[in-house]
Amino acid sequence: MARATDQAEAKPGFLTRLTQDHARVFFFSLGKLVNAPGNALFTAAVIGIALALPASLQLAVNNFQRLSYSWQGSVQMSLFLKGTVDEARGRDLATELSKYGSVKSTQYLSREQSAAEFREFSGFGEALDLLDANPLPAVIVVTPLPGRNAAQMAELSGMLSALPEVELAQLDQHWLERLDAILRILQRVGLLVGALLSVAVLVIVGNTLRLDVEARREEIEVMKLIGAPDSFVRRPFLYGGCWLGLLGGWFALLLLTLGLFVIDRPAQELAALYGSSFRISGPTTSTVLGIVAGGVVLGWLGAWWTVAKHLSAIQPR
Amino acid sequence: MNNTLIQFSQVSHRYPGGAGDVLSDVNFELEAGEMAFLTGASGAGKSTLLRLIALLARAHRGQVVVAGTNLAHVKSAKVAAYRRQVGMIFQNFNLLYDRSVFDNVALPLVIRGHAHLDIARKVRAALDTVGLLHRERSMPLTLSGGEQQRVGIARAVVTKPMLLLADEPTGNLDPEMAWDVMKLFERFNDVGVSVLVATHAIDLVERLGKRVIHLEAGRVTDKRPVAASRVSLAEAH
Ligand SMILES: Nc1ncnc2c1ncn2[C@@H]1O[C@H](COP(=O)(O)OP(=O)(O)OP(=O)(O)O)[C@@H](O)[C@H]1O
Ligand SMILES: [Mg+2]
């Protein structure tokens, strides 16, 4: 169809037009939000809670992991010496070992000292008295340097247990391994909760925008009447979804900050009781960006999902 | 370019759930650059016929060809692009009531991606043509029915479409305004726009002396409409 009148005037290029329209919709949808924030804020709060839950779980896991690393160094190792090793050799060995790279200090406990400790701490002291001879071996307690990771600890323990004088090297870190395993499970749970709540966010955004589409049905009809393409009609709603997600992400960060603020003091006190200077660390920059970007992406997806479904159902009469 | 712009061939239409055919066996042509009136009693099918041209409905039987395109072959994804070539003025205005007069008239240009300055200039020109330049900041609901009608007209002409469809565009206007609007359509027609106006304003139709397509119960007839002022007279005969 010829439109001589229109061809004379050049329209802006495709990219300019697209940018121009996106800028328009950006401010239009933002304006809508600012003018009628009630419903959107409520939705954003729900999204925020849904995002904050998995994020705080992740944060907890990260902190426990840091904690368990810092504990790893304070783990002690007990070297049970063979019966054939006499006290002088044992003391020499302890001194030798204390010069090792990853070892902070060593302490030699003779068989008598072992027995005394057993009597004092185990509560089974009388059992020893029933025996003719002291059955306990001499022990070297090895304290590694702090800040060793699990692999370095394993290497050290392997080397120590290979010593000819050593009957058995026992690392007191089984509970740390257990903690690690629990943390790994928690991490998985976090992912699962995250996935489920992401679906929840999609549904929340979808529902809010469905109501929005319903409320603006006449407007949509009019736009279609005068030839607006679907992409044009859809765009404000997609932006609306992004705004909801962005607000929700911010809200989640706010909740996390509040939570950290509340927990920080008692956690510090608890750490102080154990003589540790451990401080809870907040979310990293990438976590913060992840939460916000996740909110925006989920908002956009939720909007796309609903709007695609409901817009085509609206046809001008 | 003296060819056929709109061609109806044996077109019948019925609404789903409707009693019977609203249009039956309609045949007519509109030349490119022609202006014609569509008349007929209320319920004769004028709005329906315009809706078929604007692809707001698809003909049940027969062919509607516009500018060489058989509308039955326009895929639903292409309907919006097709509609952008047609300027339509609606019986019930169909304005956006949460946006200013200016924004309403600007909408077709925004959809087409015109530059901002360009939009402002064209919108003001269109509003000036319908005498509403001073109301550009008003909201449609603060306007009278006739003024809203004129906003709808400005919105339809702002893109300078090659075809203008108007459904009862003077229904809410005082006689003087109605005449001005009809003259406005004639001016558009003078610069090459094809115009099809459904109307009950028979006296204006007669004064303009353009072709009349008269519908009676969904059929095109050779009968001529009777002006309101002479209805009782005609019945007396
Ligand atoms: N959406 C619809 N569903 C069912 N029937 C309809 C629908 N729209 C119109 N009709 C019927 O189609 C017939 C023609 O309607 P149409 O609106 O085309 O008449 P018209 O000539 O424009 O009348 P008016 O001068 O009052 O505007 C009427 O009998 C009407 O009842
Ligand atoms: Mg009608």
Side-chain angles (χ1 to χ4, degrees):
Chain A
M1 292 189 197
R3 279 195 291 163
T5 38
D6 238 29
Q7 274 157 5
E9 325 165 20
K11 259 191 276 179
F14 174 74
L15 217 63
T16 318
R17 262 167 30 217
L18 205 68
T19 322
Q20 183 178 290
D21 199 51
H22 276 278
R24 185 186 60 79
V25 176
F26 179 90
F27 289 112
F28 174 78
S29 53
L30 186 63
K32 268 223 173 337
L33 196 70
V34 172
N35 288 333
N39 219 348
L41 282 186
F42 178 76
T43 307
V46 179
I47 295 172
I49 294 169
L51 289 175
L53 273 173
S56 50
L57 209 55
Q58 181 61 46
L59 207 59
V61 168
N62 285 350
N63 273 295
F64 274 121
Q65 249 158 12
R66 270 183 56 239
L67 201 57
S68 91
Y69 280 139
S70 75
W71 280 338
Q72 216 124 52
S74 63
V75 162
Q76 292 183 329
M77 226 180 282
S78 304
L79 307 180
F80 298 100
L81 302 182
K82 287 179 178 154
T84 51
V85 181
D86 64 13
E87 182 161 346
R89 175 68 197 123
R91 287 192 189 280
D92 282 353
L93 186 63
T95 325
E96 261 173 58
L97 290 182
S98 69
K99 290 171 186 142
Y100 268 55
S102 3
V103 175
K104 186 181 170 211
S105 62
T106 55
Q107 187 191 3
Y108 177 81
L109 295 176
S110 68
R111 302 182 57 186
E112 289 68 37
Q113 283 168 313
S114 286
E117 252 195 21
F118 186 81
R119 248 181 251 286
E120 191 174 348
F121 292 114
S122 73
F124 292 110
E126 292 87 38
L128 279 187
D129 299 334
L130 296 177
L131 300 171
D132 295 337
N134 176 8
L136 294 174
V139 177
I140 298 177
V141 177
V142 178
T143 307
L145 282 172
R148 307 287 105 175
N149 63 29
Q152 286 169 317
M153 290 300 289
E155 192 192 323
L156 182 65
S157 114
M159 189 196 68
L160 293 180
S161 58
L163 292 172
E165 294 89 346
V166 173
E167 176 83 56
L168 178 72
Q170 190 177 312
L171 199 57
D172 301 338
Q173 72 164 10
H174 291 301
W175 70 275
L176 271 184
E177 280 166 3
R178 268 177 233 132
L179 179 64
D180 257 359
I182 291 172
L183 287 181
R184 274 198 299 276
I185 292 174
L186 272 185
Q187 209 158 20
R188 289 282 164 88
V189 171
L191 284 180
L192 215 62
V193 169
L196 285 178
L197 288 176
S198 296
V199 175
V201 168
L202 287 183
V203 173
I204 297 162
V205 171
N207 193 48
T208 304
L209 284 173
R210 185 180 58 79
L211 295 177
D212 206 15
V213 168
E214 241 6 272
R216 286 158 68 185
R217 169 178 278 272
E218 274 181 36
E219 176 180 343
I220 294 167
E221 276 179 17
V222 169
M223 290 200 173
K224 289 195 169 189
L225 272 178
I226 61 175
D230 280 351
S231 59
F232 182 89
V233 182
R234 210 186 292 132
R235 203 162 291 148
F237 293 104
L238 298 186
Y239 268 83
C242 288
W243 284 122
L244 284 181
L246 186 66
L247 277 182
W250 282 341
F251 197 77
L253 288 180
L254 189 73
L255 288 179
L256 279 185
T257 313
L258 274 177
L260 285 174
F261 179 75
V262 169
I263 291 176
D264 188 45
R265 174 50 72 73
Q268 232 176 304
E269 283 165 4
L270 180 67
L273 288 180
Y274 286 90
S276 155
S277 59
F278 178 81
R279 286 289 299 270
I280 291 186
S281 67
T284 57
T285 318
S286 62
T287 313
V288 169
L289 288 180
I291 291 172
V292 174
V296 172
V297 168
L298 286 175
W300 185 82
L301 277 179
W304 184 274
W305 170 58
T306 347
V307 169
K309 204 167 56 186
H310 289 92
L311 276 193
S312 56
I314 298 180
Q315 288 301 334
R317 280 160 287 159
Chain B
M1 211 169 62
N2 199 16
N3 51 5
T4 309
L5 180 65
I6 302 176
Q7 182 171 33
F8 272 58
S9 320
Q10 296 161 344
V11 171
S12 298
H13 187 72
R14 65 170 64 192
Y15 286 99
D21 281 358
V22 171
L23 293 176
S24 41
D25 198 25
V26 171
N27 293 285
F28 78 90
E29 290 182 0
L30 189 80
E31 298 294 314
E34 193 185 357
M35 175 165 175
F37 289 104
L38 192 59
T39 59
S42 184
K46 303 182 295 295
S47 297
T48 306
L49 193 149
L50 291 182
R51 286 168 52 84
L52 291 183
I53 300 173
L55 258 181
L56 291 166
R58 289 175 187 268
H60 247 234
R61 254 171 293 134
Q63 278 194 346
V64 181
V65 179
V66 178
T69 309
N70 184 344
L71 296 193
H73 297 158
V74 178
K75 294 199 182 75
S76 48
K78 298 275 181 206
V79 167
Y82 167 78
R83 251 176 232 158
R84 264 175 266 146
Q85 299 179 307
V86 180
M88 185 146 181
I89 296 152
F90 303 93
Q91 205 165 359
N92 56 347
F93 319 143
N94 277 320
L95 301 178
L96 297 181
Y97 290 98
D98 61 344
R99 310 215 194 157
S100 68
V101 165
F102 182 97
D103 288 347
N104 266 280
V105 178
L107 192 57
L109 298 173
V110 172
I111 289 172
R112 286 163 177 79
H114 286 258
H116 285 309
L117 286 176
D118 193 31
I119 289 179
R121 191 172 51 74
K122 285 180 170 155
V123 168
R124 299 223 164 85
L127 282 173
D128 196 27
T129 329
V130 297
L132 280 179
L133 193 49
H134 61 294
R135 302 303 300 268
E136 63 169 322
R137 290 281 142 236
S138 305
M139 299 306 275
L141 281 179
T142 66
L143 302 182
S144 74
E147 287 167 329
Q148 292 183 36
Q149 184 76 273
R150 279 141 66 195
V151 175
I153 294 171
R155 185 182 63 185
V157 301
V158 74
T159 57
K160 305 210 169 88
M162 54 116 201
L163 171 63
L164 200 57
L165 303 174
D167 195 353
E168 205 61 53
T170 59
N172 297 281
L173 304 182
D174 61 74
E176 204 173 326
M177 198 70 219
W179 177 245
D180 286 350
V181 164
M182 287 299 190
K183 291 298 279 183
L184 181 65
F185 289 152
E186 197 180 29
R187 283 221 309 279
F188 281 115
N189 181 239
D190 287 343
V191 297
V193 180
S194 311
V195 183
L196 186 58
V197 183
T199 183
H200 291 295
I202 307 304
D203 46 340
L204 297 183
V205 172
E206 286 175 351
R207 256 170 89 185
L208 279 164
K210 302 284 184 186
R211 180 154 77 101
V212 173
I213 300 162
H214 188 63
L215 284 177
E216 231 176 56
R219 290 172 187 276
V220 178
T221 70
D222 291 334
K223 291 188 197 153
R224 286 305 93 167
V226 181
S229 52
R230 295 196 302 274
V231 165
S232 53
L233 217 71
E235 273 170 358
H237 280 285

